[in-house]
Amino acid sequence: MTAAAPGGVFTAVDPARAPADGPAAFGADLEPATLLAAYRHGLFPMPAADDYAGAFNEARYEEAVAAGGIALLPGPGHADPYALAWWSPDPRPVLAPDGVRIGRKLARLLRNRLDWWTTADLAFDEVLAACAEGREPPWLTGDLRRALTGLHRLGAAHSVEVWEDGELVGGVFGIVTGPVLSLDSMFHRRPDAARVAVADLGARFAAAGGGLLDVQWDSPHVRSLGAAPEPRAGFLAVLAGAAGGAAGTAGPGDPGGEVAQLETGRLPAARLAPERPRGPRPHGRPHPREHRHPYRNARRV
């Protein structure tokens, strides 16, 4: 088979009918245009870490591929198609861009002790490298990192960096497709720095008109961030609406819907933890700081 144009290679994949907990397709390539088309189609890549992992994919899923339940896509002639899987889980964990949970303890630290600052798109390659460190299986392969760097140059991939005294202590990166930002990976070198990075990226995306954060894989951790499972059909409808029903057909530089332009400047992380308003005190009850000892002002007889 000959490879189709990168923007149209996923037209053979119907993510709405893909397995809920298995890959939707194998094959294709990791060119930036192909990668962007996949995200517009509701898919994200999981490259095999090595030849053994590719052989395992073939052994496990070849019957489903033969039955037509999983698509096998055209790609480079020399490549093993089972070395590259494309996923679209059902349900899909999502949350509002301004809905990332910070938590009271972290909010107090940001307001009172942690002198953290954030930037966007200042150190994209450093964030990619940090997210790849020590991950098992190592899905952020060299080919995928090169494709993500290409998307960053096109303005479709973004990072947020968290800084402490000039040191990069946390970060996150993701891909924008219209009103959706798909979070790929995060890291931390200080407790909760990854959570701050996600909240900051969400805040910047919301300010730019973004509508939804896609967290891809459900887990207790993403639930703690505020994500909730959305049926895949609803998530795919958002993507299809953003691209005018033509998701997966545009080429690089054509975002398939307005790509948000994020504020990239240096901002204080403390802005993510505004002061909690104090409720009214019950009538006649003194403020704790106004408490008086019952004998402090008594006259001695």
Side-chain angles (χ1 to χ4, degrees):
M1 290 187 295
T2 59
V9 70
F10 295 104
T11 56
V13 182
D14 183 1
R17 297 181 179 274
D21 57 355
F26 288 105
D29 56 59
L30 282 174
E31 292 299 315
T34 308
L35 189 58
L36 186 57
Y39 280 90
R40 292 182 181 136
H41 213 64
L43 306 167
F44 56 85
M46 288 294 293
D50 50 35
D51 291 342
Y52 173 82
F56 176 83
N57 283 340
E58 182 173 7
R60 182 174 181 181
Y61 295 110
E62 61 180 342
E63 290 185 5
V65 169
I70 299 175
L72 195 63
L73 304 175
H78 63 280
D80 174 13
Y82 288 96
L84 179 56
W86 301 93
W87 289 72
S88 183
D90 188 13
R92 194 80 165 234
V94 299
L95 71 160
D98 57 357
V100 180
R101 292 177 186 159
I102 288 292
R104 293 184 181 182
K105 180 180 178 181
L106 178 57
R108 286 195 300 269
L109 289 173
L110 290 174
R111 288 193 299 264
N112 302 319
R113 291 181 56 188
L114 294 175
D115 187 20
W116 286 356
W117 292 77
T118 66
T119 55
D121 294 337
L122 182 65
F124 185 86
D125 289 342
E126 290 180 61
V127 170
L128 272 188
C131 287
E133 290 175 3
R135 297 296 175 94
E136 292 296 337
W139 62 274
L140 264 174
T141 62
D143 287 344
L144 180 53
R145 286 168 62 178
R146 282 187 287 273
L148 290 165
T149 299
L151 286 190
H152 177 60
R153 294 194 185 102
L154 292 172
H158 298 278
S159 65
V160 154
E161 304 85 26
V162 181
W163 304 92
E164 180 182 274
D165 296 329
E167 179 186 356
L168 182 64
V169 297
V172 64
F173 75 91
I175 312 300
V176 170
T177 51
V180 177
L181 195 159
S182 188
L183 299 173
D184 270 21
S185 189
M186 64 191 81
F187 81 97
H188 69 274
R189 293 170 180 159
R190 299 286 189 277
D192 289 318
R195 182 181 297 270
V196 170
V198 174
D200 186 271
L201 181 55
R204 292 175 191 256
F205 189 55
L212 192 68
L213 294 183
D214 161 36
V215 201
Q216 298 184 348
W217 298 105
D218 198 10
S219 71
H221 175 65
V222 303
R223 296 285 185 104
S224 77
L225 294 173
E230 168 78 11
R232 180 171 58 193
F235 173 75
L236 295 175
V238 173
L239 285 178
T249 61
D254 175 9
E258 183 179 354
V259 172
Q261 298 299 313
L262 302 188
E263 167 62 45
T264 59
R266 183 174 182 262
L267 297 173
R271 82 190 196 285
L272 302 170
E275 291 284 351
R276 294 175 61 87
R278 293 179 178 177
R281 297 192 300 275
H283 179 69
R285 183 175 179 179
H287 190 280
R289 293 182 180 178
E290 297 172 355
H291 178 73
R292 297 289 188 267
H293 191 281
Y295 297 104
R296 179 168 295 174
N297 296 318
R299 293 179 64 184
R300 301 179 70 176
V301 177

